[in-house]
Amino acid sequence: MFRLIPIMLILTLPGCFLAPGMDMNNDNGMTEIELPTNRDGQLVKEKVRIVPITADLIIERETNRRQVINNLPPVDPNKTSYRIGPQDRLQITVWEHPELNDPGGEKIMPELAGKVVDENGDLYYPYVGSIHVAGKTVSEARADLTRELSKYFKKVKLDIRVLSFQAHRVAVVGEVVRPGVQTMNETPLTVAEAITRAGGSTKDSDFANVALARDGKLYKLDVQSMYEKGLTTQNLLLKDGDVLNVGDQKDSKVFVMGEANRQQAIQINKGRMSLSQALAEASGVDFNTSRPGDIYVIRAGDMHPEIFQLDAESPDAMILADQFPLQAHDTLFIGTAGVTQWSRVLNQILPGSFTAIMSQAAMMGM
């Protein structure tokens, strides 16, 4: 009988003994966890609501996801044509007035031909002097120069073309074959074209995680949907100064912990993985030790953590799990049954004697 005293003492221990470092609070469905802050690196307590995974939650999350994907910078139809800028080299040909054209004609070296737009966006031309051409299309610059030359010549006919495009550039970095800077020409440069110019994607690229940095803002693009579903809204027109970053899928993993048959890190394929897929990859839950009603998805986020709970004992649980998308760095935690928790604690406190004690208790009819 005295051997059963340790068991009775353990049964009277508070629940927090089993979960050091986490303060569980059931008030209003809130749980309190400790997280590091960005300010001083100290641990602070932040309340996080445990949200049940329901059909309404999945619909709400999908609506929010589409809003994020469609929250893209507007396209200015007036700026789809190439605009002349500083360092562009222009070739100007005035018909029937060879003295106004490049000396040497066709014999001049291409890199020395034409006239360069200066840093102020101005171009010097005989008789006209300096004329501002930056920000104008070729057609607009031709009309302006024709008007100015008409003050000195009759029936002016001229042509302008860009010999060297240097004014507008974008950077394509990340998981592409040839990352670097690309110059823009008269053909509008789209996301797909920029990736193609960079040699295409590498084997580790994640097209569902492409970021566009523009004017101090960051936009998320789902290029995978563009290729697979024809979602052309993701094929944005790029502009000068844009930085396009193709993500690395090796950084897109979810982590399975707790009472799964296989605890592991699972690679997200092409940016998509549902809760049911993750459970299948982990060979399901261990029904001998788990509590199917306590399957959690823990999402750290940007210092705004979220916790979602799936009740796998519900008849529609697997349908909900198949429709609930996971994100990179999610942690899937499968809860432990109460009997399993206590048996593990007793095994740690009473190593080697727990089995004998439980056998003796069974013999005494307890």
Side-chain angles (χ1 to χ4, degrees), residues 82-89 117-118 121 133-136 166-168:
Y82 185 80
R83 301 277 167 171
I84 299 171
Q87 302 304 316
D88 278 345
R89 186 178 291 273
V117 181
D118 66 20
V133 295
K136 297 179 180 180
Q166 298 295 329
H168 308 296

Side-chain angles (χ1 to χ4, degrees), residues 88-91 102-116 161-166:
D88 278 345
R89 186 178 291 273
L90 308 180
Q91 183 180 56
D102 287 328
E106 299 296 331
K107 296 181 180 180
I108 192 171
M109 298 176 64
E111 60 270 19
L112 299 178
K115 298 182 181 297
V116 178
R161 70 186 183 96
V162 183
L163 289 179
S164 178
F165 297 90
Q166 298 295 329

Side-chain angles (χ1 to χ4, degrees), residues 276-297:
S276 62
Q277 287 176 315
L279 289 171
E281 288 282 349
S283 299
V285 300
D286 188 338
F287 289 102
N288 294 320
T289 61
S290 68
R291 180 181 294 172
D294 290 342
I295 297 178
Y296 298 98
V297 175

Side-chain angles (χ1 to χ4, degrees), residues 242-301:
D242 283 351
V243 177
L244 192 66
N245 184 10
V246 179
D248 186 343
Q249 69 173 355
K250 290 186 294 185
D251 191 44
S252 298
K253 294 181 180 181
V254 297
F255 307 96
V256 181
M257 303 177 66
E259 301 304 320
N261 285 314
R262 284 195 303 172
Q263 298 186 20
Q264 59 181 328
I266 303 175
Q267 182 75 57
I268 297 179
N269 184 30
K270 294 184 178 180
R272 295 186 299 271
M273 175 169 285
S274 67
L275 176 54
S276 62
Q277 287 176 315
L279 289 171
E281 288 282 349
S283 299
V285 300
D286 188 338
F287 289 102
N288 294 320
T289 61
S290 68
R291 180 181 294 172
D294 290 342
I295 297 178
Y296 298 98
V297 175
I298 303 170
R299 184 166 295 162

Side-chain angles (χ1 to χ4, degrees), residues 61-253:
R61 291 279 160 160
E62 177 62 18
T63 302
N64 293 339
R65 186 190 72 84
R66 291 182 180 181
Q67 289 176 348
V68 170
I69 290 179
N70 294 326
N71 184 26
L72 300 174
V75 177
D76 188 347
N78 297 322
K79 293 187 177 181
T80 55
S81 299
Y82 185 80
R83 301 277 167 171
I84 299 171
Q87 302 304 316
D88 278 345
R89 186 178 291 273
L90 308 180
Q91 183 180 56
I92 302 173
T93 303
V94 183
W95 306 110
E96 299 180 357
H97 291 279
E99 73 277 9
L100 297 177
N101 300 328
D102 287 328
E106 299 296 331
K107 296 181 180 180
I108 192 171
M109 298 176 64
E111 60 270 19
L112 299 178
K115 298 182 181 297
V116 178
V117 181
D118 66 20
E119 292 296 331
N120 297 321
D122 296 332
L123 180 73
Y124 180 82
Y125 202 76
Y127 292 96
V128 176
S130 292
I131 181 171
H132 191 74
V133 295
K136 297 179 180 180
T137 64
V138 170
S139 297
E140 291 170 345
R142 180 170 54 241
D144 290 348
L145 189 57
T146 300
R147 183 184 63 252
E148 293 300 321
L149 284 176
S150 295
K151 298 177 182 179
Y152 306 95
F153 304 95
K154 295 180 179 180
K155 297 181 180 180
V156 175
K157 297 179 180 180
L158 63 84
D159 180 51
I160 299 179
R161 70 186 183 96
V162 183
L163 289 179
S164 178
F165 297 90
Q166 298 295 329
H168 308 296
R169 304 178 177 218
V170 300
V172 182
V173 297
E175 291 302 317
V176 291
V177 176
R178 295 187 300 273
V181 176
Q182 301 178 11
T183 57
M184 305 177 69
N185 54 33
E186 71 273 7
T187 302
L189 183 62
T190 63
V191 169
E193 175 66 21
I195 293 175
T196 301
R197 281 197 200 176
S201 61
T202 67
K203 61 182 180 62
D204 295 323
S205 66
D206 183 4
F207 274 162
N209 184 26
V210 177
L212 172 65
R214 172 180 294 180
D215 299 331
K217 296 182 179 179
L218 194 65
Y219 300 93
K220 182 180 179 182
L221 303 179
D222 188 356
V223 179
Q224 192 69 41
S225 295
M226 178 183 69
Y227 288 138
E228 294 183 352
K229 302 178 182 178
L231 198 60
T232 56
T233 56
Q234 304 300 295
N235 195 23
L236 289 180
L237 285 175
L238 300 179
K239 72 172 192 176
D240 184 33
D242 283 351
V243 177
L244 192 66
N245 184 10
V246 179
D248 186 343
Q249 69 173 355
K250 290 186 294 185
D251 191 44
S252 298
K253 294 181 180 181

